[in-house]
Amino acid sequence: MNSAGLLEPITTTSALSCENVRVSFHDHEVLCDITLKLRQGEWLSIIGPNGAGKSTLLRSIVGLTKYLGTVTLGDGRVPRAADVALVPQFPVLPKGMTVAEYVLLGRTAHLGWLARESQVDRKIVSSVLNRLELAGFAERFVSTLSGGETQQVVIARALAQQCPVLLLDEPTSALDVGHQVSVLELMDDLRRTEGLSVLAAMHDLSAAGRFADRLILIDHGQIVAQGNPVDVLKPDLLSDVYGTPLTVQSIHGELMVLPATRQRAQTLKETS
C-alpha cells in the first residue's frame, strides 16, 4: 500500500530520466519541457485528461516518437529495446501467430544477430504465461482473443522482455475489474520483489493513487503537479484540470476519486 505514503521506493537510484522533453506535431506543441526522474523499484504514474500528452511521453521514451531533449537510463545511456518495455494502449497483434509465439517475441531484444530463441527463452515465456494465468491460451491464435485477453497477452510479452523499466499505457483499459486488480497487483509485486521500475499512464485516478509511489499530473503537455498521491489528488486541482467537479475520499485508508454529487457540483460552481 502506498496511496497514503506508507512505503518508500526500494531505492533512490535513478532508473530513467527525462530532461526538457518536447514534442510537436504540425507546429502544435504536445509536450513542453517535461522533466522527471523514475527511481529504481518505483511506481510513478502519469495522470491527466485525454490529450494531455501521456501516451506521447511514453512513446518518446521508447523512441517511437521524435522529441527534443534527453531521455537516459540511470547509467546515462539512451534506452534500448532490452532496457525498456512498453505496453501500448492500442496494441496490434499479427495474424496467424499463437499466444506463445507472440509472447516469445518479447525475447527478441535479448537475441544476437540471426540467433534463435533458446530453451531458457521458452521457459521464461512459460513462466510469464503461468503467472498471468494464460497457460491455457498458449496455442490459441491471437486473432481469436477478446479485447481483455489481448491486453493480458500484450502485458505478458512485455514481462517476457524482462526489462528493468516497464512503461504502461492504460494497461487495464480493456480488462474487467477482477483482472484489472490482478494485473496491477502483479506489476506491484514484481517491482517490489525484483526491483522493476514502472512508469504508467493511467486514467483511473483511484488505481493510480493506490499503486503509485508518486504521481505526475499533466495538462496540455505540461506538468502542473507532482508528488505523493495524497498531495496530488486534491479535489480542487483535479476538478480544474479535468473540467468537471470531483471529490476525493479516503476509504479504508485508500484514496478514491469520485464525481461530485449534483449538490456538491452546484456548490463548487457557486463558489468558483
Side-chain angles (χ1 to χ4, degrees):
M1 294 176 59
N2 49 5
S3 60
L6 298 178
L7 292 177
E8 294 297 324
I10 292 177
T11 176
T12 57
T13 303
S14 174
L16 179 79
S17 295
C18 296
E19 294 287 342
N20 301 317
V21 172
R22 305 172 68 96
V23 175
S24 296
F25 296 140
H26 306 295
D27 296 327
H28 171 65
E29 195 166 55
V30 180
L31 292 178
C32 179
D33 290 330
I34 298 295
T35 295
L36 62 84
K37 179 179 289 186
L38 174 68
R39 298 187 286 261
Q40 288 183 9
E42 181 183 31
W43 184 314
L44 175 61
S45 283
I46 311 296
I47 60 174
N50 290 337
K54 302 184 299 295
S55 296
T56 300
L57 175 60
L58 298 187
R59 290 177 58 84
S60 298
I61 291 173
V62 295
L64 295 177
T65 296
K66 293 183 179 180
Y67 64 90
L68 299 177
T70 61
V71 176
T72 56
L73 300 172
D75 59 8
R77 292 186 297 111
V78 175
R80 297 176 299 180
D83 301 311
V84 181
L86 171 66
V87 176
Q89 184 176 3
F90 302 109
V92 177
L93 277 62
K95 296 180 179 179
M97 183 173 285
T98 66
V99 167
E101 291 170 338
Y102 176 76
V103 176
L104 190 59
L105 290 177
R107 302 301 304 158
T108 303
H110 300 278
L111 301 179
W113 180 250
L114 297 180
R116 296 180 61 85
E117 299 86 357
S118 67
Q119 189 64 27
V120 172
D121 295 314
R122 297 183 183 280
K123 286 183 178 180
I124 290 172
V125 168
S126 178
S127 175
V128 169
L129 291 177
N130 285 326
R131 292 196 72 170
L132 290 178
E133 299 182 350
L134 293 172
F137 290 70
E139 300 306 317
R140 281 184 56 180
F141 287 104
V142 294
S143 58
T144 68
L145 302 176
S146 67
E149 292 166 348
T150 295
Q151 194 73 359
Q152 288 178 275
V153 168
V154 174
I155 291 171
R157 173 181 169 172
L159 293 179
Q161 199 169 332
Q162 289 192 322
C163 295
V165 177
L166 181 62
L167 308 183
L168 308 174
D169 191 359
E170 301 299 334
T172 60
S173 59
L175 303 180
D176 58 51
V177 174
H179 283 103
Q180 285 180 19
V181 173
S182 63
V183 166
L184 292 176
E185 287 183 342
L186 172 60
M187 303 297 180
D188 198 38
D189 177 64
L190 287 172
R191 62 104 176 193
R192 292 184 185 280
T193 59
E194 302 180 19
L196 186 70
S197 305
V198 177
L199 181 62
M202 302 179 70
H203 275 308
D204 188 332
L205 301 180
S206 298
R210 175 184 177 187
F211 287 96
D213 295 293
R214 289 187 299 130
L215 300 178
I216 291 181
L217 176 60
I218 294 181
D219 188 27
H220 294 98
Q222 296 182 316
I223 295 177
V224 296
Q226 58 182 310
N228 294 327
V230 70
D231 295 324
V232 175
L233 297 180
K234 298 292 188 181
D236 291 344
L237 173 62
L238 296 178
S239 298
D240 180 58
V241 170
Y242 284 86
T244 188
L246 298 171
T247 63
V248 180
Q249 302 178 20
S250 178
I251 302 177
H252 302 301
E254 295 184 358
L255 298 177
M256 302 294 293
V257 180
L258 304 168
T261 62
R262 183 176 302 176
Q263 181 178 2
R264 174 61 175 161
Q266 183 62 32
T267 300
L268 291 172
K269 183 177 180 180
E270 291 174 353
T271 58
S272 61

